[in-house]
Amino acid sequence: PSHLSKYCDAILRGGDYCGGPNVTQEYYDEMHACIESMKREKAVAKQNNQIEEKDADPIGIDLYEQINKWALDDGSTRGINVWANSVTQWNCIGRPVNIDALGFHNMKKSPGLDSIVLSYDKNKKDQTGKKVSPKNCYGNPMRPEISFFLAMGCYLCINQDRYDRGSDKIFLKAGQDGSASDTYQKGLKELLSDPKKREKIMDSIRADHFHAYGYRKGAATHVTTGTM
């Protein structure tokens, strides 16, 4: 937040110094909302001993698929939770906090009926939710470990209580906001306790930089360059 605040101040002071027009009210409002949102996220992360997004190493497609295989091999509800969270975050190229807040009202069928469209209520840059971009999530029968349809279907089959309660949240249970992503992150961290899995992870990620934020970076790089 500090470097973004300095950037915003520089823009405002530069405009005053040049005698040019001031920035629009829309710019000021959106920048202020973004800075405040980042401050809140940083405070929560600090309380949970989490690293900042900028410090997370990207999780590439190969490691992403391997983590999903490990989660499935675990054969537990926890493993399915890690799998479903990972696949959803990768497909949305999203932050953990965005996946944490997803509800059934955020999902709908695409017009072509070949994907599920996820739309956030809001994101870091748009707290009103007016300009969020929908995410099309597809099945992948050739690589089931990274199939959104399969992962979400399995997850909901063993979490049928999600259908019969007041809240429509998919991953969030009765806890506070952020509790689902915190549980997910702990599940990822537990992989490091296994020496063989740790060695595989450390082949591409630094020891203190393995975090769910890495999915966002890895997915973004993969879809834009076809690498990782």
Side-chain angles (χ1 to χ4, degrees):
S2 60
H3 67 278
L4 189 58
S5 296
K6 292 176 181 177
Y7 168 79
C8 182
D9 290 341
I11 294 292
L12 297 175
R13 292 183 181 180
D16 290 340
Y17 178 79
C18 296
N22 293 325
V23 298
T24 64
Q25 186 64 38
E26 181 181 15
Y27 169 87
Y28 180 82
D29 291 343
E30 290 188 0
M31 182 61 75
H32 177 73
C34 181
I35 292 173
E36 290 302 311
S37 176
M38 290 180 67
K39 287 180 179 178
R40 290 192 295 270
E41 286 188 20
K42 185 174 182 179
V44 172
K46 187 175 181 180
Q47 291 176 353
N48 295 328
N49 296 316
Q50 296 175 347
I51 65 173
E52 293 187 40
E53 179 176 2
K54 64 183 178 64
D55 294 325
D57 285 345
I59 297 174
I61 182 68
D62 291 336
L63 181 56
Y64 157 58
E65 190 165 6
Q66 181 61 67
I67 289 174
N68 289 347
K69 290 179 180 179
W70 287 334
L72 288 169
D73 289 343
D74 186 67
S76 66
T77 300
R78 178 190 60 184
I80 297 296
N81 179 60
V82 169
W83 178 37
N85 269 274
S86 297
V87 171
T88 305
Q89 189 171 335
W90 179 277
N91 276 268
C92 290
I93 316 182
R95 296 178 174 87
V97 67
N98 296 133
I99 307 307
D100 183 280
L102 284 176
F104 289 107
H105 70 279
N106 298 114
M107 305 173 65
K108 66 179 181 180
K109 293 185 294 185
S110 68
L113 304 179
D114 60 345
S115 69
I116 292 177
V117 182
L118 296 181
S119 298
Y120 302 149
D121 292 324
K122 61 181 180 180
N123 60 28
K124 181 189 292 186
K125 295 183 178 180
D126 181 13
Q127 292 295 301
T128 65
K130 294 180 179 179
K131 299 179 181 179
V132 295
S133 300
K135 317 289 184 178
N136 283 274
C137 303
Y138 297 86
N140 192 333
M142 302 303 295
R143 299 169 73 178
E145 292 86 359
I146 60 174
S147 172
F148 176 80
F149 283 16
L150 182 59
M152 188 58 66
C154 291
Y155 173 81
L156 292 175
C157 279
I158 62 174
N159 289 282
Q160 296 187 23
D161 60 305
R162 298 296 188 272
Y163 301 111
D164 301 316
R165 55 183 188 152
S167 170
D168 81 332
K169 298 299 184 184
I170 298 172
F171 295 109
L172 193 65
K173 293 185 178 180
Q176 299 178 343
D177 290 348
S179 61
S181 57
D182 184 52
T183 300
Y184 168 50
Q185 177 60 25
K186 289 178 180 177
L188 286 180
K189 290 289 187 180
E190 287 179 5
L191 295 174
L192 297 176
S193 62
D194 183 294
K196 292 184 178 180
K197 294 175 182 176
R198 180 183 180 85
E199 182 179 0
K200 176 66 175 179
I201 293 170
M202 294 303 105
D203 283 344
S204 57
I205 294 180
R206 293 169 291 174
D208 296 329
H209 297 261
F210 179 53
H211 191 280
Y213 280 130
Y215 281 119
R216 175 177 169 83
K217 293 182 177 181
T221 302
H222 181 70
V223 299
T224 55
T225 67
T227 60
M228 294 199 74

